[in-house]
Amino acid sequence: MVRRLAVVTFVVSLVSAGSAAAQSPIVVETLELEPTVVKTGDVIAQTYRLRFPDLISEGREIIILEDRMVPENLPVHPFEAVSLNVVKRQIEDEHIWDFEYGLRMIAPEKAVYLVPSFAFYYLIRDLGEDIEDAEIQQVDGGQGLVRYVSTMTDVPVLDIRDTIELGEFGGRAALFSTAAWAVAPLPLLVWLVFLVRQWRKKEVIPTEVARELEEIERLEAQIPVPPSIWEARRTLQRHVRTLEAVEGNGALGGLKQDLVISTREYLRAELPALKSGDTPKDILRHIEGLDDGGRKTALATLASRLVEHHAGLEQGEASTIANPKEEARLLEDALASLRPHVRLWRAFTGMFDQ
């Protein structure tokens, strides 16, 4: 459907020569509107020319209050002021200021609309007088007619002032906000209630299961805590010194059994990868898989003596050792080689030997 455009009429008006205007030193001329036919989104150029004399020679000055003439402050409904450009010039003793406004509108009906007049504010003060002490005066501009012919627009997104009142929803928003804050803690409260109920609920354990748990706890309490490497070393050294004090092939009593137990505990502390059920032969095989070096040699010596002493206990030869002093020296040398500072020194000297 083709829309019919109507012819626009335009009126140029000057400020009326009334008594109030006659006393004002400022004259406002309303220049022509451009364009004269508009549709939604079109920008209308409206220029207001202010003429006022230069009163400096008389000891006074005229100050135009430009901050009151910004587009967002103009009462030009149903139009909307979107831009302003002020062109200032002076010809001899007369100032000429052009206020070039950009206006646009949107309306539901096609009709002829009147661009309303509005006031330009100024004040006249004596030189040296405070601006706050001067009286603010005003002078009105003219009006113009614009024919609005179409609500169609070429602008994809039009940012305009909407005069539709959508209502106040502050009370409803406050109500929903209060309800939300009241409901928000409920999940936490429910969780705390269930937690307290679960904590107060006594766990019912069958009698047989309870007895089994008690027996397991009793057996675990009887299992001795494995000694640390330092405690195991001191225990083994004490037994070695006792062995060294034995004269000849004298009876050893339970010393050989103590040597087996303390040697085994020391090797387990030195080698955390060993399992509690490993036999002396298993320990020796594990040591044989280690990297070559002084540590492996010393551990292998202790493990081989452990295998031999353990075999003697199994065969009933627990009371004697062929040469106690020689056995004690062999064990002492192996323990000395495993001391941290000795191993560090050998590693340091081995760097220079290479």
Side-chain angles (χ1 to χ4, degrees):
M1 178 178 181
V2 180
R3 294 182 177 271
R4 184 176 59 184
L5 300 180
V7 179
V8 64
T9 61
F10 171 75
V11 176
V12 177
S13 59
L14 297 177
V15 178
S16 301
S19 58
Q23 297 177 359
S24 174
I26 298 180
V27 178
V28 180
E29 300 177 4
T30 305
L31 303 185
E32 295 183 355
L33 285 164
E34 293 183 2
T36 56
V37 178
V38 297
K39 57 185 177 180
T40 301
D42 290 347
V43 177
I44 307 169
Q46 175 67 78
T47 302
Y48 299 89
R49 178 166 294 169
L50 276 64
R51 297 176 179 268
F52 56 94
D54 187 350
L55 304 179
I56 298 298
S57 59
E58 301 178 8
R60 297 185 299 167
E61 65 173 341
I62 297 176
I63 299 177
I64 306 295
L65 303 180
E66 298 181 54
D67 58 335
R68 298 196 177 190
M69 309 312 302
V70 293
E72 55 267 23
N73 293 338
L74 293 188
V76 289
H77 181 78
F79 294 86
E80 177 187 6
V82 295
S83 63
L84 171 62
N85 181 34
V86 181
V87 179
K88 304 177 183 179
R89 60 188 183 278
Q90 181 176 356
I91 301 177
E92 295 182 353
D93 292 336
E94 183 181 32
H95 294 277
I96 301 176
W97 288 19
D98 289 344
F99 284 76
E100 300 174 354
Y101 286 97
L103 308 174
R104 67 182 179 188
M105 69 174 299
I106 180 171
E109 299 179 357
K110 294 180 285 186
V112 176
Y113 291 90
L114 179 67
V115 178
S117 64
F118 53 88
F120 290 86
Y121 296 91
Y122 68 96
L123 54 85
I124 302 176
R125 70 161 185 168
D126 296 330
L127 296 180
E129 181 185 7
D130 292 337
I131 295 179
E132 292 78 5
D133 298 335
E135 181 182 358
I136 297 177
Q137 305 181 39
Q138 69 181 51
V139 59
D140 293 336
Q143 299 176 337
L145 292 178
V146 172
R147 186 175 294 277
Y148 180 68
V149 298
S150 176
T151 58
M152 302 298 294
T153 176
D154 297 330
V155 182
V157 179
L158 183 60
D159 183 16
I160 62 173
R161 295 182 185 178
D162 196 348
T163 58
I164 300 175
E165 180 63 37
L166 298 178
E168 295 290 339
F169 299 95
R172 187 175 301 176
L175 175 62
F176 286 127
S177 178
T178 303
W181 282 106
V183 173
L186 290 182
L188 179 60
L189 179 61
V190 173
W191 181 81
L192 289 176
V193 170
F194 278 106
L195 182 63
V196 171
R197 291 184 60 184
Q198 187 68 21
W199 178 69
R200 290 183 176 181
K201 182 179 179 181
K202 296 182 179 180
E203 184 178 1
V204 179
I205 302 177
T207 306
E208 296 181 358
V209 177
R211 291 177 180 176
E212 291 179 359
L213 293 176
E214 292 178 358
E215 183 65 19
I216 292 174
E217 292 178 357
R218 187 182 64 80
L219 294 176
E220 289 179 350
Q222 294 177 357
I223 298 176
V225 179
S228 65
I229 188 171
W230 308 107
E231 294 173 346
R233 181 192 295 274
R234 286 194 296 269
T235 302
L236 180 56
Q237 286 178 336
R238 184 173 68 254
H239 293 156
V240 170
R241 286 194 294 270
T242 304
L243 177 63
E244 188 178 8
V246 176
E247 296 293 340
N249 293 333
L252 299 178
L255 180 58
K256 195 171 186 179
Q257 184 177 358
D258 294 339
L259 283 173
V260 170
I261 295 174
S262 59
T263 305
R264 180 188 175 86
E265 289 181 348
Y266 176 75
L267 289 176
R268 287 187 59 190
E270 187 73 40
L271 301 169
L274 294 176
K275 300 178 181 179
S276 59
D278 287 344
T279 63
K281 292 183 179 180
D282 294 333
I283 296 175
L284 181 59
R285 280 193 296 268
H286 177 80
I287 294 173
E288 290 174 351
L290 300 177
D291 296 334
D292 294 336
R295 179 172 181 267
K296 177 180 179 180
T297 302
L299 291 174
T301 300
L302 293 177
S304 62
R305 304 314 301 158
L306 173 63
V307 170
E308 183 175 346
H309 295 165
H310 186 267
L313 289 176
E314 290 181 342
Q315 295 171 6
E317 300 176 0
S319 60
T320 61
I321 292 179
N323 191 341
K325 294 186 179 299
E326 183 66 22
E327 185 73 16
R329 185 188 61 79
L330 184 63
L331 295 176
E332 184 67 30
D333 292 343
L335 285 173
S337 299
L338 291 173
R339 291 180 180 273
H341 63 278
V342 175
R343 291 170 54 188
L344 179 62
W345 174 254
R346 288 182 177 179
F348 177 75
T349 55
M351 295 172 55
F352 295 97
D353 294 340
Q354 296 178 358

